[in-house]
Amino acid sequence: MYSAYGLAIKSDIELPALAHIEPTEPDITIAAATIPADAGGKTKFRNWEAEPERFLSSFFGIGRFLITGGDTIHYDRDAGADDTQIISIILGTALAAAMMQRRILPIHSCSVMTDQGAVLVMGRSGAGKSTMLGGLLALDLPMLADDVTGLDFDNNGQPVAIPGFPAMRLWEDSLTKLGHSTDGLPQVRSDIRKYYVPVENFHTTRARIRAIVHLTVSNETNVRIEPLGDAERVECLSRFIFRKKFIDGMGMRRFAFEQVAKTVNQVPLLRVTRPAVAVEPKRLAQQMLDHIATAEAVSVL
Amino acid sequence: MTSAQFDNDRKLIWLASYPKSGNTWLRSLLTAYLLPHDEFDLNAMLGEQDPFDRQQLDDHAGISSADFLPHELIPYQAQLHRDMAQESENWRLIKTHSAYVKADNREPLFPADASAGVIVIVRNPLDIVPSYAHHEGKDNAWVIAHLGNEHAGTDSWRHRSTTMLPQTMSSWSINVESWLSQSEVPILLLRYEDMHRDTEASLTKALRFCAIEIEPGLVTKAVSRCSIDRLRIDEAKKGFNERPSTQRSFFRSGKIGDGAKNLSKDQISMILNDHGRVMEMVGYPANSSIL
């Protein structure tokens, strides 16, 4: 049994990056299965199809994945696909679809815990989320998630972040630069030099969201930090729902809009524009946290 | 002359070239002609590389492309190209430096059922060398080796992923020949040297290929607006988001014949040896008279 996103996961395939837990009633069961050709949903979309509570996706040369009811992930492996290929889909696309079915919005962001709540950093692929996360971890802040953070609400209707799992995915190149060896680390894919790196300083429980940051890159020379205007806030957070097209496919657009609107009404959103040239990660992270603290003090956000 | 073949599913026109062959210049000319009422902006030209944006593919196919090998992405990219064509109201120009490549299942990256045509721009590799060396901040020897490297590409993802998807350029010869030898997508071949010699005629050809009605006055205006000198001034004034670095400009003199003057006899001979056959195929002399 494993734990991720606050869920107990029973899996017949070993999931190297996830924490083991004592056997319990599973929230999600992952198992190999024969998925019939007509197992998909009403909305057909090239390599995936969906309907409420049902999602089917085909990955060329890897297999087909059926996610139903928020509690079952079935995979039907193509000949020649190895475990790492199956696992990388399970930990990305399949878990995201299951979270949506459980009414948890997956947000494409890394996140850390500060003394006043979780800070999520969203950004398009390549914007520098991993570097920012590196900077935040160097400040000794516990990690909640490396790539996808769950968004939910507590009993008082306050937005909360749900931690992912205690590992980062890093290229060998980055690991070497950080002075780490790849010895004994599981590979994300057996044929790609990218590894799951365990993160010991991991925050395991859901946490109130203190701020959400949109990280972008520009050719300016200085770091720019500014609050997002009202008109932009819903659009910005919506844009970073991980696998956002699945939302429409599963008939969840209204739900997602409400969750996003509720969140941006309660949580400050700001944009950090970093120069394209390298900025020292720890300094950038500190600059961002200082800005959040200052803005909170004067209630600008 | 062959023309692009448009229908409801085929709306993409690829602007394909090996780097530093005049692709950006052609994009500027087409932009100035097709959007004559807009103020010309170097940073808002037609022929963007949108389909090669990693986020776009990830959102479309529901994959984490950075966890895939480049050749595995081709079927997803092909379906993205089909959807872009079907969903676009109008035809679209898209720039690529990729060779005409296929996935293991033989599916082409540029599917014929989405592609109305391709304008292939070629330039004498002897002249590509100094231009590319300036662009990359490398020496001529590096570029000559690169021109001959069948595995060369942009954003190769060998050690890290980037915001753009990998594109397999391959060697200069393979790149050019891959496009010219395919018969699935209607093709117009433009030579940089001909664009230089008679820019109006080349732009007219490109527009006719795209089934655009020609207004000679507009062609003249577009050509004048997009002279290399004016593009250089634009770049100096407002910058160009495709320039290689803040230290090096994108547009240089664009002169023809510079290459042979800048290269040693050995270097010229190496290029002729590697690419002579395809050079002759597209009308560049590849004999010892150059040495």
Side-chain angles (χ1 to χ4, degrees):
Chain A
M1 292 283 288
Y2 300 93
S3 169
Y5 296 101
L7 304 166
I9 298 172
K10 185 180 170 194
S11 173
D12 69 355
I13 186 167
E14 197 184 335
L15 303 173
L18 271 53
H20 283 277
I21 55 169
E22 291 300 316
T24 179
E25 185 62 29
D27 299 305
I28 294 180
T29 301
I30 298 169
T34 301
I35 300 174
D38 60 354
K42 289 174 188 147
T43 316
K44 315 281 182 200
F45 192 87
R46 298 292 185 188
N47 62 314
W48 58 270
E49 44 194 281
E51 63 185 32
E53 308 301 318
R54 175 173 285 263
F55 176 86
L56 172 72
S57 187
S58 301
F59 294 86
F60 306 112
I62 297 178
R64 300 165 75 228
F65 293 73
L66 177 67
I67 298 97
T68 50
D71 59 10
T72 308
I73 295 174
H74 280 158
Y75 59 90
D76 194 344
R77 186 193 302 246
D78 283 357
D82 73 12
D83 280 2
T84 60
Q85 288 173 292
I86 301 290
I87 293 161
S88 90
I89 305 294
I90 287 174
L91 294 183
T93 299
L95 261 184
M99 283 161 76
M100 288 174 183
Q101 290 173 356
R102 298 183 76 89
R103 302 298 183 267
I104 298 168
L105 271 190
I107 304 295
H108 198 185
S109 66
C110 62
S111 50
V112 293
M113 188 64 188
T114 69
D115 53 1
Q116 291 179 62
V119 173
L120 276 60
V121 180
M122 315 182 295
R124 42 165 295 149
S125 307
K129 288 194 299 293
S130 299
T131 310
M132 174 66 96
L133 178 60
L136 290 161
L137 297 184
L139 294 169
D140 290 329
L141 297 173
M143 182 180 92
L144 270 86
D146 164 40
D147 190 42
V148 177
T149 310
L151 170 64
D152 199 2
F153 294 85
D154 65 15
N155 293 334
N156 301 318
Q158 292 280 319
V160 290
I162 304 180
F165 44 85
M168 293 172 77
R169 294 185 305 174
L170 289 175
W171 288 87
E172 180 181 34
D173 192 38
S174 308
L175 271 166
T176 313
K177 278 186 189 147
L178 292 167
H180 295 295
S181 147
T182 59
D183 289 353
L185 295 181
Q187 274 176 260
V188 170
R189 281 262 313 248
S190 55
D191 42 9
I192 296 179
R193 304 190 79 78
K194 200 190 249 183
Y195 297 83
Y196 293 109
V197 184
V199 173
E200 298 202 348
N201 194 5
F202 181 69
H203 184 86
T204 54
T205 55
R206 47 174 56 204
R208 183 186 80 85
I209 300 177
R210 179 184 183 189
I212 300 177
V213 175
H214 173 208
L215 181 64
T216 61
V217 192
S218 85
N219 52 11
E220 295 168 31
T221 43
N222 293 317
V223 176
R224 187 155 44 87
I225 306 180
E226 61 211 337
L228 280 183
D230 289 346
E232 250 186 308
R233 295 154 64 86
V234 168
E235 187 278 326
C236 183
L237 183 54
S238 302
R239 197 183 338 145
F240 290 102
I241 296 172
F242 186 72
R243 306 286 179 256
K244 57 180 177 286
K245 292 198 175 178
F246 298 177
I247 292 280
D248 278 354
M250 290 194 281
M252 296 175 67
R253 182 184 283 200
R254 185 170 173 177
F255 161 80
F257 178 80
E258 284 170 359
Q259 303 297 83
V260 166
K262 217 159 98 181
T263 304
V264 302
N265 282 337
Q266 301 184 67
V267 174
L269 252 80
L270 54 136
R271 176 168 293 135
V272 173
T273 306
R274 69 166 180 90
V277 289
V279 181
E280 210 274 303
K282 199 169 160 183
R283 218 177 104 221
L284 180 63
Q286 187 63 60
Q287 213 174 330
M288 179 185 81
L289 295 173
D290 290 347
H291 188 96
I292 293 171
T294 311
E296 282 168 346
V298 295
S299 300
V300 168
L301 294 173
Chain B
M1 190 181 87
T2 317
S3 294
Q5 289 169 17
F6 295 98
D7 64 31
N8 278 342
D9 295 335
R10 302 175 70 160
K11 297 197 200 90
L12 308 183
I13 298 267
W14 303 97
L15 301 176
S17 71
Y18 194 84
K20 308 314 288 176
S21 299
N23 202 320
T24 303
W25 188 21
L26 180 63
R27 286 169 61 209
S28 74
L29 290 163
L30 290 166
T31 303
Y33 183 88
L34 293 167
L35 303 173
H37 304 299
D38 296 5
E39 190 181 340
F40 180 80
D41 181 351
L42 201 52
N43 292 305
M45 290 193 291
L46 300 174
E48 274 301 315
Q49 298 193 71
D50 297 6
F52 296 99
D53 179 302
R54 172 175 143 203
Q55 190 71 54
Q56 185 131 327
L57 182 68
D58 287 9
D59 284 344
H60 177 269
I63 61 168
S64 294
S65 53
D67 292 346
F68 284 73
L69 295 170
H71 72 270
E72 294 173 327
L73 294 174
I74 293 177
Y76 301 99
Q77 291 180 275
Q79 73 174 22
L80 170 64
H81 298 160
R82 288 193 182 96
D83 280 1
M84 289 179 81
Q86 285 173 9
E87 287 166 12
S88 286
E89 267 187 43
N90 299 311
W91 62 286
R92 290 180 69 158
L93 288 162
I94 300 167
K95 170 191 167 175
T96 180
H97 287 318
S98 173
Y100 181 83
V101 292
K102 291 182 173 179
D104 291 346
N105 65 4
R106 312 309 296 156
E107 175 158 37
L109 175 60
F110 306 97
D113 51 354
S115 307
V118 55
I119 300 178
V120 177
I121 310 129
V122 297
R123 184 182 187 186
N124 191 327
L126 293 169
D127 281 346
I128 288 176
V129 174
S131 177
Y132 205 3
H134 166 84
H135 188 88
E136 293 290 325
K138 309 265 189 189
D139 62 19
N140 290 343
W142 181 90
V143 176
I144 291 166
H146 202 61
L147 279 167
N149 178 2
E150 64 175 298
H151 302 296
T154 58
D155 301 286
S156 65
W157 290 11
R158 273 192 298 276
H159 304 298
R160 56 179 62 242
S161 36
T162 56
T163 57
M164 300 298 282
L165 297 167
Q167 293 194 55
T168 306
M169 281 158 27
S170 208
S171 72
W172 180 84
S173 291
I174 293 176
N175 188 299
V176 171
E177 198 171 15
S178 72
W179 280 107
L180 299 185
S181 62
Q182 62 82 29
S183 53
E184 303 286 307
V185 183
I187 188 168
L188 171 71
L189 175 66
L190 283 185
R191 299 193 322 164
Y192 178 86
E193 293 74 12
D194 296 331
M195 286 172 66
H196 221 269
R197 209 166 292 127
D198 190 345
T199 315
E200 290 196 16
S202 294
L203 175 57
T204 302
K205 262 191 200 173
L207 292 166
R208 284 216 174 101
F209 178 75
C210 299
I212 305 286
E213 205 173 307
I214 308 296
E215 288 185 45
L218 275 185
V219 171
T220 309
K221 224 167 145 182
V223 169
S224 149
R225 179 62 191 84
C226 298
S227 69
I228 299 286
D229 283 347
R230 287 193 67 181
L231 296 177
R232 283 167 70 182
I233 293 169
D234 286 350
E235 182 181 1
K237 267 191 191 163
K238 288 192 175 173
F240 182 28
N241 54 22
E242 295 175 37
R243 73 192 296 177
S245 94
T246 49
Q247 308 299 315
R248 298 191 302 281
S249 58
F250 186 93
F251 295 103
R252 295 170 70 243
S253 69
K255 277 184 192 153
I256 295 167
D258 265 9
K261 287 181 212 154
N262 280 295
L263 301 172
S264 70
K265 280 189 174 176
D266 280 352
Q267 289 176 324
I268 293 174
S269 150
M270 199 181 294
I271 293 170
L272 299 185
N273 200 35
D274 285 352
H275 308 293
R277 186 178 62 80
V278 178
M279 283 173 73
E280 288 193 332
M281 189 199 283
V282 287
Y284 299 129
N287 52 43
S288 53
S289 66
I290 302 169
L291 292 166

